[in-house]
Structures are given as structure tokens and as C-alpha cells.
């Protein structure tokens, strides 16, 4: 039976199946094609197979302040149907180290060359230790007409949070060390997704003023919050 014998609507659906799966498929370190998505700085990045399965091995060298590896995705990932990204990390060296896991994302429809929103999670690993890094997939809330500089002096932007990201448009991952004195070896294992989408508060139509007459955050309530002088 040829594709021409299917109804037009069904043909369109079948044609879209590959792109639907590609939109949510995490990097597969068992697939040799993933090597084309890798780049390294002050390090070598190779796909390996060990006791724990396929992994990305990063071997850093001295002489670089930020050695590591980047996975540039051929197509952005839509992780909005999940609540947590889990990344196994293993320190294959004899000294402890601090691996920084960076996730890059962009608003959908962002112009070419736009700077990504980056979120970095540092993970300390003892010699030979393996940890599962759990990165919360917190949707980034856009505030029409406002930008981060409008909240000058604040440690975070209300309604978004310092760990939020454009979960529907993840563009890449970077694993790096910060100014290491020695060479190190670490591996990234099979990445996976878990949980249900996280719910965040929408920004109000009128953001300012942020503070009420009692010096409290105006746009949220909590037990014990003062509402009057009575």
C-alpha cells in the first residue's frame, strides 16, 4: 500500500511524526550521529560506552579558564510536558571537582543570533562519585513591556525566578569547569525527563507598584500577611 492511498489528513499526520518525536528527543550518547552536535573548549569530548551505558566523556586540559563541552542541538527541544530534567554525572578522576551544567533556551520565534537565556547548576563530585543532577523545568514568564533592568537592584525578577527557562525551546547544553588548576575527566550519562509540568503564576496586567502600603510584595498572598491595621 502506498502513501497515496491514505486520506490527505492522515498523510499529513504521518509526515509530521518524525518532527514530533525530534522535538522532545534528548541527546542520545549511544548514537554516533550525536558526535556532530559536540564542540569542546580546552578539552576533548567523545562518546563512550561503559558499565553504566553510553555516555559523553569530557577530558579537560590545563591552560583554559572554562574547559568543557557543548551540545548544540540541531533542533530545539520542547520539554514543557515534564517537570524535571535529570542528568547523571560521574567524576572519573582521582580529585574532586565542580561541574557546571548550563541549559540554554530562547523564546519561540526569537531572531537569529539572539542571546539565549542561560541557567547554570553547579554540582560537586568527589573522586569516582556519580550524582544525578535534577534540574527543575520552570517556565519563564514573559512580562510584556518590561525587562530585567526594570528591576534594578533585585536578585531576581518577580514571576519568573532565577531558575526559569523557555522550557518549550531548549537550544543546547554545556558542561564546564571554572578555572581548574588540574586536568579532569568526567562523564555525562543518559539524560531523561520526569514529572509533570510545573505551574507558575502569571504576571499581573499592572506590575508596579510591587510593594503594598505595609512594605510587602503586593501580588501574592500568604498566611500571616498583613492586610489592614485592624
Amino acid at each position: 500500500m502506498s502513501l497515496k492511498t491514505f486520506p490527505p489528513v492522515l498523510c499529513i499526520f504521518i509526515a509530521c511524526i518524525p518532527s514530533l518525536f525530534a522535538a522532545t528527543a534528548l541527546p542520545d550518547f549511544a548514537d554516533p550521529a550525536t558526535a556532530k552536535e559536540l564542540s569542546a573548549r580546552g578539552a576533548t569530548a567523545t562518546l563512550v560506552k561503559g558499565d553504566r551505558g553510553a555516555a559523553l566523556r569530557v577530558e579537560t586540559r590545563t591552560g583554559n579558564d572554562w574547559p568543557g563541552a557543548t551540545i548544540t542541538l540541531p533542533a530545539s527541544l520542547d520539554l514543557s510536558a515534564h517537570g524535571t530534567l535529570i542528568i547523571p554525572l560521574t567524576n572519573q578522576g582521582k580529585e574532586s571537582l565542580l561541574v557546571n551544567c548550563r541549559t540554554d533556551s530562547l523564546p519561540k520565534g526569537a531572531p537569529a543570533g539572539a542571546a539565549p537565556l542561560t541557567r547554570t547548576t553547579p554540582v560537586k563530585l568527589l573522586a569516582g562519585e556519580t550524582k544525578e543532577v535534577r534540574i527543575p523545568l520552570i517556565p519563564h514568564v514573559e512580562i510584556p513591556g518590561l525587562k530585567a533592568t526594570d528591576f534594578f537592584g533585585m536578585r531576581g525578577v518577580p514571576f519568573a525566578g532565577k531558575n526559569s527557562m523557555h522550557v518549550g525551546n531548549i537550544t543546547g547544553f554545556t558542561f564546564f569547569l571554572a578555572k581548574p588548576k588540574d586536568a579532569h575527566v568526567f562523564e555525562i550519562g543518559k539524560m531523561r525527563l520526569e514529572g509533570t509540568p510545573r505551574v507558575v503564576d502569571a504576571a499581573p496586567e499592572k506590575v508596579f507598584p510591587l510593594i503594598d502600603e505595609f512594605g510587602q510584595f503586593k501580588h501574592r498572598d500568604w498566611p500571616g500577611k498583613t492586610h489592614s491595621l485592624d
Side-chain angles (χ1 to χ4, degrees):
M1 182 180 290
S2 69
L3 190 61
K4 294 181 180 179
T5 62
F6 286 96
V9 173
L10 184 57
C11 290
I12 293 173
F13 175 76
I14 294 174
C16 290
I17 287 178
S19 62
L20 288 174
F21 281 101
T24 56
L26 292 167
D28 182 3
F29 301 136
D31 184 357
T34 302
K36 298 178 181 179
E37 304 168 9
L38 303 177
S39 60
R41 180 174 61 183
T44 57
T46 54
L47 301 179
V48 298
K49 291 184 179 179
D51 296 338
R52 298 184 177 88
L56 169 61
R57 172 172 288 190
V58 181
E59 300 178 62
T60 69
R61 302 185 293 271
T62 57
N64 191 295
D65 285 345
W66 311 98
T70 295
I71 305 171
T72 302
L73 301 171
S76 62
L77 299 179
D78 183 355
L79 307 184
S80 60
H82 303 274
T84 305
L85 170 63
I86 302 173
I87 306 176
L89 292 177
T90 300
N91 179 2
Q92 295 288 12
K94 297 181 180 180
E95 302 291 337
S96 61
L97 76 162
L98 186 72
V99 180
N100 294 284
C101 306
R102 194 185 85 186
T103 305
D104 294 354
S105 65
L106 284 168
K108 289 185 177 180
L117 178 65
T118 64
R119 300 304 188 209
T120 302
T121 303
V123 182
K124 184 175 182 179
L125 295 170
L126 300 177
E129 185 179 17
T130 296
K131 282 184 180 179
E132 285 195 339
V133 186
R134 304 179 66 86
I135 299 176
L137 298 172
I138 302 174
H140 185 72
V141 177
E142 294 291 343
I143 306 176
L146 294 177
K147 51 189 180 299
T149 52
D150 293 326
F151 300 93
F152 178 78
M154 298 182 65
R155 293 183 178 273
V157 178
F159 319 109
K162 63 180 181 180
N163 295 318
S164 65
M165 62 185 79
H166 301 286
V167 295
N169 201 41
I170 305 297
T171 58
F173 304 97
T174 298
F175 304 90
F176 66 96
L177 309 183
K179 299 182 178 181
K181 296 180 180 179
D182 304 304
H184 295 279
V185 181
F186 62 92
E187 291 182 357
I188 301 99
K190 183 178 180 179
M191 304 164 70
R192 67 184 193 275
L193 297 164
E194 185 180 273
T196 56
R198 296 172 184 263
V199 179
V200 297
D201 296 333
E205 291 185 7
K206 186 178 180 182
V207 174
F208 294 106
L210 283 174
I211 307 302
D212 65 15
E213 59 184 312
F214 302 106
Q216 306 164 117
F217 184 61
K218 181 178 181 179
H219 302 296
R220 188 168 297 166
D221 203 359
W222 59 86
K225 183 178 181 180
T226 300
H227 296 283
S228 69
L229 293 175
D230 298 334

